[in-house]
Amino acid sequence: MSEQIVLTGIKPTGTPHMGNYIGALHPLIEMAKTRKTFVFIADLHALNIIHDPNQIRQHTYEIAAILLALGLNLENATLFRQSDIVQVSQLSTMLMNVTPKGLMNRAHSYKAAVEKNMASGADVDAGVNMGLYTYPILMAADILLYNTDVVPVGADQKQHVEFARDIAGYFNHTYGEIFKLPEPVISADAGIIPGLDGRKMSKSYDNIIPLFAPESELKKKIMRIITDSKLPDEPKNPDESTIFQLYRQFANADEIADMRARFERGGMGYGDAKRILFEKINSVLSAPRAEYERLMSNTSELDNVLASGAARARAVAEKTYERVHRAMLG
Ligand code: ADP
Ligand code: TRP
C-alpha cells in the first residue's frame, strides 16, 4: 500500500496565539516529522470573514513564518497558499453540481447563523453570504484535489471532512472512481487552553497571548492573567489555574510535578507563579521567536517557500483536475 496522504488547512484570520499553537500548529509540526503532509493557508476561506487584503496577507505570512520558525520539515511538508492553486476554485465549481443543497443546509456553521437570526427575529439568511453557505464545498475541493487519505482537524471541523467524503461519493457514483474517500482524524485532545480571562483562549474573546509576542508584551500579558484571590500562603488548585495550564505545555515532567506541588502546598503567590511561567515560556520560545522576527522582517524568503510549495502542490492538482474535467466534460 502506498503511503497515506495527509492534508490540513489553516485559516489566516488572526495572529496565531498560544491556543492555536498548542491545539493545532504544534501537533502539525510533530506529524510532519514523519509523514508526507500537505499544509496550506486557507486564504480563500478567510474571505467571508476578512475584507482587507492586507490583513489576509499579513496573517498568511505570520502562519508561514511560525511554522518555519518552529522547524516544520519542508521535505515532508508541502506548504502553500490555497489561492495559488487555481484548480481548487475550478474543482469547487465542478463539485457544486453533485452537491445536494440539503447537505449545505445541515452544515453547523450555516445552521448556527440561521438559528441566531431566528432567535432575533431577523430573516433566516440575514448576513449569510454564499461564501459561508458553500464553505464546505470549497473545503471538499481542498481535500479531494490532493488525493487526501486523512485530514487531521479539530472536532469543530469533523462534519466538513465528512461532507467532503459524501461529496466524493456522489461524484464517484455518477462519474466513476475518480476520488479517494478521505477520513477525518480528530487531533488528540490537547485540552482547551484558557486565555487571560479564564475562558477558552480565542481571538473572538480578546483574551489571547500571541505566540510570538515580543518579550515585554509576553510578560505584560502573563502578569495580567486573571486568578482567584487566594493569598500566597494558601494552597491552590493547579487544575483550575490558567497559569498552571499554560506552564504544563512548556515545562518538562519534573518541572510540572514541582509546580503542581508548589500550588498544592501553598507558600507561592500567583505573582511568583506568573514570573516562573514567563521565564519558562520565554526560554522555550526565544530562539524560534528570533527566527520568526527574522522571517517577518523580509518576506522574500517566505515568498520563496510558498512559491516552491505551490509548484509541488500544483503538479498534483493539475493531474486531479484534468481527470475531473475529462470525466465531466469529455
Ligand atoms: P480562535 O478561537 O482564536 O478563532 P480558531 O477557531 O481559528 O481559533 O482555531 C484554529 C485552530 O486552533 C483549531 O484547530 C483549534 O482547535 C485550535 N485552537 C484554537 N483555540 C484553542 C484553544 N484555546 N485551545 C486549544 N486549541 C485551540
Ligand atoms: N475550515 C478549516 C478551519 O476553519 C480550514 C480548512 C480549509 C481546512 N480547508 C481545509 C482544514 C481542508 C482541513 C482540510 O479551521
Side-chain angles (χ1 to χ4, degrees), residues 26-283:
H26 181 69
L28 176 61
I29 289 165
E30 287 301 308
M31 192 176 53
K33 285 183 177 163
T34 55
R35 303 188 67 172
K36 294 256 178 265
T37 313
F38 286 94
V39 183
F40 65 91
I41 302 166
D43 55 352
L44 296 173
H45 274 118
L47 288 174
N48 70 67
I49 301 174
I50 302 193
H51 299 138
D52 172 2
N54 293 323
Q55 262 190 54
I56 295 186
R57 200 181 165 74
Q58 172 71 12
H59 295 319
T60 297
Y61 282 138
E62 287 168 354
I63 292 167
I66 285 175
L67 290 171
L68 297 182
L70 292 167
L72 180 71
N73 177 328
L74 285 179
E75 268 173 43
N76 288 338
T78 300
L79 175 65
F80 63 104
R81 201 194 300 253
Q82 182 186 29
S83 63
D84 279 345
I85 311 299
V86 293
Q87 286 80 4
V88 81
S89 306
Q90 296 176 310
L91 180 57
S92 183
T93 299
M94 297 307 221
L95 295 179
M96 300 266 173
N97 301 288
V98 297
T99 305
K101 176 169 177 284
L103 193 68
M104 297 300 99
N105 292 341
R106 294 200 342 250
H108 295 319
S109 45
Y110 172 64
K111 267 173 57 179
V114 168
E115 277 158 22
K116 206 165 144 208
N117 283 333
M118 280 164 75
S120 70
D123 181 86
V124 285
D125 282 330
V128 175
N129 63 37
M130 291 305 283
L132 172 67
Y133 191 64
T134 62
Y135 186 107
I137 305 179
L138 178 58
M139 186 156 157
D142 288 327
I143 294 169
L144 301 179
L145 194 56
Y146 304 100
N147 308 312
T148 306
D149 295 288
V150 287
V151 187
V153 279
D156 62 322
Q157 296 296 314
K158 181 166 179 256
Q159 187 199 41
H160 287 150
V161 183
E162 288 164 354
F163 281 3
R165 189 182 170 89
D166 292 342
I167 292 170
Y170 298 137
F171 187 98
N172 287 353
H173 181 72
T174 307
Y175 293 107
E177 295 297 309
I178 303 280
F179 293 126
K180 285 201 226 168
L181 303 185
E183 297 270 5
V185 174
I186 306 308
S187 6
D189 192 4
I192 291 183
I193 303 302
L196 299 179
D197 58 0
R199 292 187 291 172
K200 172 190 178 229
M201 188 181 290
S202 169
K203 61 179 173 293
S204 334
Y205 297 150
D206 200 17
N207 65 354
I208 68 160
I209 306 178
L211 178 60
F212 285 141
E215 191 169 318
S216 59
E217 185 188 338
L218 177 65
K219 189 166 201 170
K220 249 194 249 153
K221 294 261 181 194
I222 288 177
M223 294 323 265
R224 221 180 279 155
I225 293 173
I226 290 178
T227 62
D228 59 28
S229 52
K230 290 214 168 73
L231 298 169
D233 279 347
E234 290 181 74
K236 304 172 180 65
N237 182 349
D239 298 314
E240 283 175 4
S241 163
T242 301
I243 304 170
F244 183 75
Q245 295 312 313
L246 284 170
Y247 186 75
R248 63 188 292 192
Q249 300 292 339
F250 292 91
N252 66 32
D254 287 348
E255 291 166 334
I256 296 169
D258 185 49
M259 184 62 121
R260 176 175 283 283
R262 293 171 82 167
F263 264 80
E264 288 170 347
R265 208 167 44 223
M268 174 184 64
Y270 284 123
D272 286 338
K274 287 176 181 179
R275 270 184 287 278
I276 298 170
L277 172 65
F278 165 73
E279 295 299 339
K280 175 50 57 189
I281 295 184
N282 198 45
S283 73

